[in-house]
Amino acid sequence: MDAAQAVHEKFLAALAAGALPDRADAPDPGAVGLSRAEATDIFLSQLTSRQMDRLSRALQARGEGFYTIGSSGHEGNAAVAAALRVTDMAFLHYRSNAFQLHRARQLPGQTPDWDMLLSFAASAEDPISGGRHKVIGSKPLSIPPQTSTIASHLPKAVGAAFSIGIARRLGRTGLPLPDDAVVLASFGDASANHSTAQGAFNTAGWAAYQRTPLPLIFLCEDNGIGISTRTPDGWIAAQFRQRAGLHYIACDGSDLVSAYAGAREAADFARRTRKPVFLHMRTVRLYGHAGSDVQGAYLPKALIEADEARDPLLAGAALMTERGWMTAAEVAEAYEEIGATLVQQAEAAIRRPKITTAAGVMESLIPPRRERARANTPSAEDRAALFGGDAAQMDKPMHMARLLSWALADLMLAHEEIVVAGEDVGPKGGVYNVTAKLHQRFGSARVVNTLLDEQAILGLAIGLAHNDFLPMPEIQFLAYVHNAEDQIRGEAATLSFFSNGQYANPMVIRIAGLGYQKGFGGHFHNDNSLAVFRDIPGLILAVPSNGRDAVAMLRECVRLAREEQRVVVFVEPIALYMTRDLHAEGDGLWTSVYEAPGESVPIRLGEPGVHGDGTDLAIVTYGNGYYLSRQAEKLLAADGVAARVIDLRWLAPLDEAALLAAVGDAARVLIVDECRITGSQSEALMALFAERAPGKRLARIAAADSFIPLGKAATLTLPSRDSIVAAARELLARD
C-alpha cells in the first residue's frame, strides 16, 4: 500500500477505535496560554495540510501535479505560525504548508487552500510564483518564496533580522519589517550540517556575542533524517544547546501544545531581548522524502512504525477528545470533509491557465520598476561638510580608487537607505582604500564591518534589501565569491522570478577582481573569470576600465537597483585602481577629475564606450583589456592603421544592437578578452559577430586556460599590449 494511504487509514482507524495517544506527560494548553479556539484552529490547519499532501500525490499520479515534498509529520509548524505575527517575516523550509495555512487564518480575506492548489497544478494564476514552481510563499503573509533550499535562505534571514536594528538606529520607519518584528528561518536537521547554515548560525552568534540586536528564530524541524541518511540521535541538541550567542529552546512538534509553548517562548525571547533563538522542534517524517521515495528500502519497519505512532494528527486528535473540544467522530468528519472539499477545488485548479510561452516563463526574471522617493539633493554646504579637506582635491586628476571612494560618499549622502558592508570596509577603508573615510562620515550603522564569510556578507545584503535598504556589499577579491556564489545565483537572482515580481532584493555587489595585479597576487588575487555571473538570468554585470567611467557607471548601478530593483555586480579591476599613466610615465592619461553628481554625462545600462572612429579595425574589449588596447591602438596608428577601441562596460546583459552600432563600418573586429579563452565573454562575442555581422573578419585574443601564478610570471598567460598588436597585424594581413 502507498505510504500516504497507509498513514491515512491508520489515522481513521485510530479515531474509530478510540486508540489515541496518552497525553499524560504533555503540557496543558491553558498553562501555555492556548485557548480552545486557538488550539482547534491550529488542529484544523494541520488536518488541511495533511490532506493537501495526500492530494498532491494523487495529482502527480494523474500528471496534473508536479511536487510531492510534503509536510506530513511536520504539521507542528502550524503552532509556530500561531505564536508569531503576520508581520514577522518567515523564510520557510519546504515542509511548511501547515505554517502558511495557519498564518493565513490570521489575516482576513486569504484563500490559502485555493492558492496552494494552483501552485500544485503549476497554474499561471498561482498567486506567489505565477506557475513557475511549487513554493511556500505569500506577499500578504510576509513569506518570501523559497524553492528546494538546503539552508541557503538562512544567511538572508540573518540579514533581515540585522536590518531591524539598523533601521532603529537610523530612525527609518514605514519599512516592511516593523521595529518590534522578529524573523523566522526554518530548516531540517540534515540542512543544519550544511556550510551555509553553519555560517548563518555563526554569524548570528557572532553578532549576538557583541550585543548586536538580532531578533531571529532559527527553527530546526528535526525529523531525524535527510532523505535516506539518519541524523545521529542527540546530534542537534549536542550541537546547539550550548552554542555561543544562541538561546536554545526545545519542544515536541508532534504535540501542538508543546510546539506552541516552544514557539511562544522563542518569539517572546527574541522580541524582548532582540537576540537569536535556536528552536529545536522534534518532528517525524511520514511517507518518505518525496513521492518517489520508498523509505522501506533503507529504514527498518520498526522505525517507520515508531515514527507513524508519533503522527501529529494522532496527538492533536487526542488533545481534542480528552478536552471535550471535539469527539473522535467529529475529528474524522472534519478531516474527511476537508479532503473532499480540497478534491473539488483541485479539479477546478487543474483547469486554470498554465504558462504557455517562453516569454511568459521569463516575464518575472526582471523585477518591475518601482516608484522611489526623490533622492536627497545635497547642497554645496552639505557636500563641503562631508568631504572636508578632500573637496580641495576634487579638481585635480585622480586614479580610479579615489574617484570611486568619493562617488560612494556622494551616493550615501543622497540616498539614506544605502548600507555598505564587507570585510574591512570600516575604519580601515578596504584593502584598496576604496571605502576610505565612509565609516568616519556615515557611522557603523551604514558602513558595516562584517566577519570573514562571503555567504554572510551576501546574505546580509539580501536580508537588508528585504527591509527596503539598498545594500552595497563588498567582496574583497573575485576568487572569494566562489565560496558564496549560490547566494547570488540561487537566492538574490531568483527572488523576482519565483515570486512573479512581488519580491525583489535590489543591491549593488562591488567586487575587486581580474588580473594584472602586481603588488601581490597569485590566483586568489588575480582571478580572471566572470563566467559565474554571465550565466545568471537577470543579473547585471558591469566592469569599468577607468575612473571617470567607474563613477558614472556606479551611479547608474545604484539607479538600476533603486528604481528597477536589479541585482548588479560591479567588478572593479584591481590593477587599474591606482593606475595613472597610459603610454608613458607621468602622462596622467588614465586619471580624471571628480565630477560631482549632476556634472557628469550619464552612462546608461548597455552603453559602450568608443575611442576613435577608424574603419580598418575595431577592437572590442573591457576592463584591463581596454587599457591595453588603447596602448596597442597608438602603436597600430604608427603603422597607418585607423582603428577604434570599444569598451563594452556592461557585460551582461549585452546590448547587442549598441555594440554592433559601435563597431559600425569597421571591416575587421578583434576581440580582446582578459578572461580565460574557455567560458569567457569572447566566445559569445565571436558568435554574435558571426551571426549578425557575417561580412566582417574576426579574430580574438584571450587569456590561456590557466590559473595565474605569483610574481613576474603573473601576466604570462594574459593578453598584453604587444600580443594585441601582433593579433591585430595578423588579422589585418588576411586577404
Side-chain angles (χ1 to χ4, degrees):
M1 183 186 296
D2 173 74
Q5 184 65 19
V7 171
H8 166 70
E9 292 185 5
K10 285 182 179 180
F11 176 58
L12 291 176
L15 290 172
L20 296 173
D22 182 359
R23 293 192 70 259
D25 296 328
D28 178 84
V32 300
L34 190 60
S35 69
R36 172 181 179 172
E38 290 170 324
T40 304
D41 275 352
I42 293 171
F43 184 55
L44 291 174
S45 294
Q46 293 179 323
L47 294 178
T48 305
S49 179
R50 177 64 57 83
Q51 292 287 32
M52 281 277 192
D53 278 2
R54 295 184 62 238
L55 187 53
S56 72
R57 289 173 174 244
L59 291 174
Q60 186 189 52
R62 293 171 51 188
E64 299 287 1
F66 309 96
Y67 193 91
T68 57
I69 296 181
S71 303
S72 294
H74 284 249
E75 290 90 353
N77 56 47
V80 180
L84 295 172
R85 302 171 184 170
V86 174
T87 51
D88 292 331
M89 189 168 284
F91 299 92
L92 298 179
H93 186 222
Y94 47 46
R95 300 192 190 278
S96 300
N97 276 9
F99 181 100
Q100 180 158 324
L101 288 166
H102 195 71
R103 175 166 278 195
R105 290 176 177 267
Q106 300 165 285
L107 187 67
Q110 298 299 298
T111 55
D113 303 3
W114 176 245
D115 296 347
M116 285 189 177
L117 289 170
L118 290 171
S119 184
F120 287 175
S123 169
E125 295 177 352
D126 162 25
I128 185 61
S129 80
R132 293 171 182 84
H133 203 286
K134 191 279 177 188
V135 293
I136 305 291
S138 168
K139 182 70 172 178
L141 299 177
S142 300
I143 306 175
Q146 299 300 133
T147 58
S148 298
T149 52
I150 305 177
S152 61
H153 56 303
L154 268 59
K156 68 182 178 184
V158 174
F162 181 80
S163 76
I164 298 171
I166 294 295
R168 277 186 167 191
R169 287 176 62 185
L170 296 175
R172 297 192 69 209
T173 58
L175 302 181
L177 286 166
D179 66 1
D180 63 347
V182 301
V183 173
L184 174 74
S186 64
F187 51 95
D189 51 291
S191 294
N193 300 301
H194 199 278
S195 64
T196 310
Q198 290 291 325
F201 303 142
N202 183 69
T203 302
W206 185 81
Y209 187 77
Q210 300 175 86
R211 300 185 179 180
T212 300
L214 202 77
L216 172 64
I217 300 171
F218 288 118
L219 171 60
C220 180
E221 299 184 24
D222 180 4
N223 61 27
I225 196 166
I227 303 184
S228 67
T229 302
R230 297 295 311 281
T231 298
D233 290 343
W235 173 248
I236 295 299
Q239 280 280 297
F240 294 99
R241 195 186 300 274
Q242 302 297 330
R243 188 140 182 170
L246 296 184
H247 180 66
Y248 178 87
I249 298 171
C251 66
D252 182 4
S254 291
D255 183 272
L256 71 84
V257 180
S258 176
Y260 178 81
R264 181 171 175 178
E265 181 184 353
D268 289 347
F269 180 89
R271 210 179 305 277
R272 175 174 48 84
T273 68
R274 320 307 291 165
K275 293 180 179 179
V277 179
F278 190 94
L279 177 57
H280 181 195
M281 188 170 78
R282 298 181 303 280
T283 65
V284 293
R285 188 191 72 186
L286 304 176
Y287 308 169
H289 177 68
S292 60
D293 181 38
V294 180
Q295 58 184 1
Y298 51 82
L299 291 179
K301 183 178 179 180
L303 183 58
I304 294 173
E305 290 177 344
D307 281 349
E308 290 176 352
R310 293 183 56 221
D311 184 345
L313 266 58
L314 291 172
L319 172 68
M320 294 295 118
T321 56
E322 75 175 27
R323 294 280 161 174
W325 294 342
M326 296 176 75
T327 66
E330 287 171 335
V331 170
E333 181 181 1
Y335 177 67
E336 296 282 31
E337 183 177 336
I338 288 168
T341 301
L342 290 174
V343 167
Q344 290 181 341
Q345 289 181 305
E347 292 304 314
I350 63 178
R351 294 193 296 270
R352 300 311 300 160
K354 308 291 196 293
I355 301 175
T356 58
T357 65
V361 170
M362 297 187 292
E363 191 174 48
S364 61
L365 274 176
I366 309 302
R369 292 173 180 261
R370 61 177 174 175
E371 292 296 323
R372 298 296 293 173
R374 185 182 179 90
N376 175 40
T377 304
S379 66
E381 292 75 19
D382 290 338
R383 294 187 70 248
L386 177 74
F387 287 109
D390 285 356
Q393 302 180 56
M394 289 182 175
D395 60 352
K396 298 177 176 63
M398 293 290 171
H399 53 63
M400 183 192 293
R402 179 65 58 83
L403 296 173
L404 279 172
S405 180
W406 290 338
L408 283 166
D410 259 327
L411 286 164
M412 294 184 73
L413 183 62
H415 307 294
E416 67 172 3
E417 71 270 28
I418 289 179
V419 173
V420 169
E423 301 164 35
D424 306 311
V425 298
K428 176 179 172 59
V431 175
Y432 296 100
N433 221 33
V434 177
T435 58
K437 301 183 182 180
L438 292 183
H439 186 269
Q440 170 189 330
R441 289 165 174 159
F442 297 101
S444 59
R446 295 187 64 195
V447 184
V448 181
N449 258 351
T450 68
L451 73 174
L452 196 156
D453 180 2
E454 285 72 29
Q455 289 182 137
I457 295 168
L458 294 173
L460 169 63
I462 299 170
L464 283 165
H466 269 293
N467 202 21
D468 205 29
F469 283 90
L470 179 56
M472 296 186 72
E474 176 181 292
I475 303 297
Q476 281 189 349
F477 293 98
L478 179 57
Y480 296 178
V481 82
H482 303 299
N483 299 321
E485 64 185 66
D486 186 57
Q487 288 299 301
I488 303 174
R489 178 189 302 276
E491 293 294 333
T494 62
L495 186 59
S496 176
F497 181 74
F498 285 122
S499 69
N500 206 16
Q502 296 172 81
Y503 279 101
N505 33 220
M507 65 188 70
V508 180
I509 305 168
R510 294 181 42 255
I511 304 175
L514 299 173
Y516 301 97
Q517 186 185 184
K518 297 175 182 178
F520 69 106
H523 165 64
F524 287 103
H525 302 106
N526 278 285
D527 185 2
N528 63 327
S529 176
L530 299 173
V532 66
F533 306 119
R534 290 179 47 242
D535 72 344
I536 299 177
L539 181 137
I540 293 172
L541 175 59
V543 184
S545 65
N546 60 84
R548 177 179 278 111
D549 282 6
V551 169
M553 291 172 66
L554 187 63
R555 290 170 180 161
E556 172 68 355
C557 290
V558 168
R559 186 197 69 78
L560 289 163
R562 285 190 80 244
E563 298 176 11
E564 301 186 22
Q565 306 194 86
R566 303 297 294 273
V567 176
V568 185
V569 172
F570 189 77
V571 177
E572 301 164 7
I574 297 171
L576 298 175
Y577 269 148
M578 311 298 178
T579 298
R580 293 180 173 274
D581 306 322
L582 177 59
H583 298 299
E585 185 175 350
D587 67 19
L589 293 177
W590 220 248
T591 61
S592 59
V593 299
Y594 180 69
E595 297 173 327
E599 295 178 359
S600 62
V601 177
I603 297 176
R604 297 306 185 194
L605 174 62
E607 181 182 333
V610 182
H611 172 78
D613 56 5
T615 58
D616 293 336
L617 175 69
I619 303 177
V620 178
T621 185
Y622 60 92
N624 291 289
Y626 180 68
Y627 175 77
L628 296 170
S629 295
R630 286 286 302 275
Q631 294 178 334
E633 181 259 345
K634 182 177 180 180
L635 296 179
L636 291 168
D639 292 345
V641 177
R644 67 184 69 181
V645 185
I646 298 167
D647 186 356
L648 291 172
R649 293 173 172 161
W650 308 95
L651 274 62
L654 185 65
D655 190 327
E656 296 181 355
L659 175 57
L660 291 169
V663 170
D665 56 355
R668 302 167 185 83
V669 177
L670 174 63
I671 297 163
V672 176
D673 196 332
E674 63 184 286
C675 289
R676 297 191 281 274
I677 196 165
T678 300
S680 68
Q681 186 76 30
S682 66
E683 292 180 331
L685 293 171
M686 288 291 284
L688 168 64
F689 287 115
E691 292 170 358
R692 298 191 56 184
K696 297 186 185 297
R697 297 172 188 171
L698 304 176
R700 67 168 168 154
I701 178 173
D705 286 338
S706 172
F707 299 114
I708 296 176
L710 189 66
K712 294 183 178 179
T715 60
L716 295 180
T717 63
L718 305 175
S720 66
R721 179 199 66 181
D722 293 341
S723 65
I724 295 169
V725 170
R729 287 172 176 165
E730 182 180 344
L731 178 59
L732 290 161
R734 293 182 192 172
D735 293 335

